[in-house]
Amino acid sequence: DAGRFEALLGRARAVGSAVERVGVLREALGLWRGAAYADVADEPFVRGVAARLEEWRLVAVEELAEARLAVGEYALVAADLGELAGRYPLRERLRAAQVRALYLAGRQHEALVVFEEVRRRLAEELGVDPGPELAGVHGAILRQDPALAPVVGSSAGVGVSVGVAAGVTGPAGVTGSGSGSVLGGVGAVPAPVAELVGRGEAVAEVLGLLEVHRLVTLTGPGGVGKTRLAVEVARAWGGLDEPAGGSAGAGRGGVWWVELAGVRAGAAAVEVAERIAGVVGLRDDVAGPVEVRLAAAFAGVGAGLLVVDNCEHVVEAVAGVVAGVLRGAAGLRVLVTGQEPLRIGGERVWGVPPLEAGAAARLLAVRAGVGVGEAGVAELVARLDGLPLVVELAAVRVRAWGVAEVLARLGDRLGDRLGVLTAGLRDAPARQRTLRAMLAWSWELLGAGERVVLRRLAVMAGGCTVAAAEWVCAEAGVVVVEVLGRLVERSLVVREGGRYRLLESVAAYGVERLAEAGEAE
């Protein structure tokens, strides 16, 4: 545990995205279940190591607080640091984060009271003044310095800032045409760094759906390209780029991009609302719960588009917040991405399909530097489920080994694809750097019954009927037909006609889990 904690702490400092840093630091602190080496705490050989780990634990807490402020969790950080600051009243970095969080949460008076308390205690107990960091925060509050509100990081390391874009004025401005709005800025849509292959018609279709439906949810398995498609749609909607399908519909209104990958799984609705509020620059001009203030703020945005990306691990919380915002903002459109629908009124679900064979071959050719018609390319892309992320992972291996060698190492349907497709992009989120990591992200979100059915379905070489699934996947207390429906909704099982099948990648992962459960025989 200690080694894992130290490694995660080092990794958190190396990542460029505040959103990803929050996730890594939460994982690191999640390893703690009490004091370091508590069972042998009195032994001389462990005292120094335990003290060092406890100090690093506090450093990790401070760094997590700062990263959460960088993604807009102002009120939540202020609440979380209160008890800890009482235990470590003279720890200046911790208190600086607390003061900043209180100020950014609209509690300016309390922020100044906390600073004065720390200043007095430092003088009385240590005979010193506050250090540069704490004093700097205090001075910035007195100046009402806009720099106290941090740049919010997206999962791809692209800055999301308060500024001018898509018809939105500066930090004190009003969004859209409604003079009653209290939104102070815009969440910048990530800029694409590569051409979108094979999705021109999809972009046009989703833009058309948003003209008719106020809530559109893009669903599909991990790696199918939901986020990348949403980026293209959002940029076209806001007039930031010409849409892939042509110029029609460009520049419809303001756009806000909210990334939820760094929010902890199962987070409450208030945490999701805080994240959205931080990204859109919601000011505290209106009293009341943040969900209510969000709805009031969006009421005047006109034909704005709110994009909420990566929702599968907080789907219930997102459903509640989005439903409230849509009820309070008649002109707003919402585009959601996730592995399953929100299941709220007015939702139009659009399943992002795998790439067609020709598009997948073009993507592999572009990324791996091979010819579309080169021997083995068609066979290889047929084995990659049409998932852009899996094609990208395969392209890394093709550049190093060639098409024939990658095909040979993939083996048959349940071959070693999880061991082969392990070299992803370094700037991708951790859950998308290998095929196994991508599948594990989806697996961890499943309940016990869903895991039983999914891993047992992996033995079906060509898919199966409901009756066959009920026979093979039977388990006490599990209604297989209901679980099948949930797995289809979560984009982990494909339903074609009256048969159900797994993508090859999902089947390979399911076989591993089957063996792990001792059920393979």
Side-chain angles (χ1 to χ4, degrees), residues 175-178 183 209-216 237 252-256 294-306 322-335:
T175 305
S177 59
L183 296 182
L209 289 175
L210 285 167
E211 295 283 6
V212 178
H213 305 277
R214 296 186 56 215
L215 170 62
V216 175
W237 185 277
R252 291 165 172 83
V255 181
W256 297 265
L294 265 179
F298 276 115
V301 301
L305 175 65
L306 172 65
V322 167
V325 168
L326 286 171
R327 284 194 296 268
L332 183 71
R333 266 46 177 182
V334 179
L335 180 64

Side-chain angles (χ1 to χ4, degrees), residues 18 75 147 191 193 235 430 453 477 487 491:
V193 296
R235 295 187 70 82
V453 173
L487 291 173
S491 307

Side-chain angles (χ1 to χ4, degrees), residues 211-432:
E211 295 283 6
V212 178
H213 305 277
R214 296 186 56 215
L215 170 62
V216 175
T217 299
L218 304 181
T219 63
V224 79
K226 299 180 293 293
T227 295
R228 184 66 182 86
L229 176 58
V231 166
E232 205 75 20
V233 170
R235 295 187 70 82
W237 185 277
L240 302 175
D241 290 329
E242 182 177 300
S247 60
R252 291 165 172 83
V255 181
W256 297 265
W257 184 277
V258 181
E259 167 59 65
L260 296 184
V263 176
R264 65 182 179 85
V270 66
E271 295 182 55
V272 170
E274 285 280 4
R275 174 62 59 85
I276 298 173
V279 168
V280 304
L282 178 65
R283 301 200 304 264
D284 289 296
D285 299 340
V286 181
V290 65
E291 299 99 318
V292 176
R293 292 190 288 115
L294 265 179
F298 276 115
V301 301
L305 175 65
L306 172 65
V307 184
V308 189
D309 188 37
N310 286 309
C311 298
E312 55 269 2
H313 58 304
V314 284
V315 64
E316 291 189 11
V318 172
V321 174
V322 167
V325 168
L326 286 171
R327 284 194 296 268
L332 183 71
R333 266 46 177 182
V334 179
L335 180 64
V336 169
T337 76
Q339 293 182 14
E340 62 178 302
L342 299 187
R343 285 194 285 170
I344 60 177
E347 180 180 32
R348 174 62 161 84
V349 180
W350 197 82
V352 180
L355 289 175
E356 294 180 354
R362 290 199 305 277
L363 180 60
L364 182 70
V366 170
R367 299 293 187 264
V370 299
V372 173
E374 185 173 318
V377 166
E379 183 183 354
L380 177 58
V381 297
R383 300 291 313 284
L384 302 177
D385 298 322
L387 301 181
L389 176 61
V390 182
V391 175
E392 297 268 8
L393 293 170
V396 176
R397 293 307 192 198
V398 168
R399 287 198 298 269
W401 301 342
V403 174
E405 184 64 23
V406 173
L407 268 173
R409 289 179 178 271
L410 283 179
D412 60 16
R413 170 178 170 269
L414 301 180
D416 190 29
R417 67 174 47 219
L418 298 177
V420 171
L421 303 178
T422 58
L425 299 175
R426 291 190 177 93
D427 63 344
R431 70 181 188 282
Q432 293 184 348

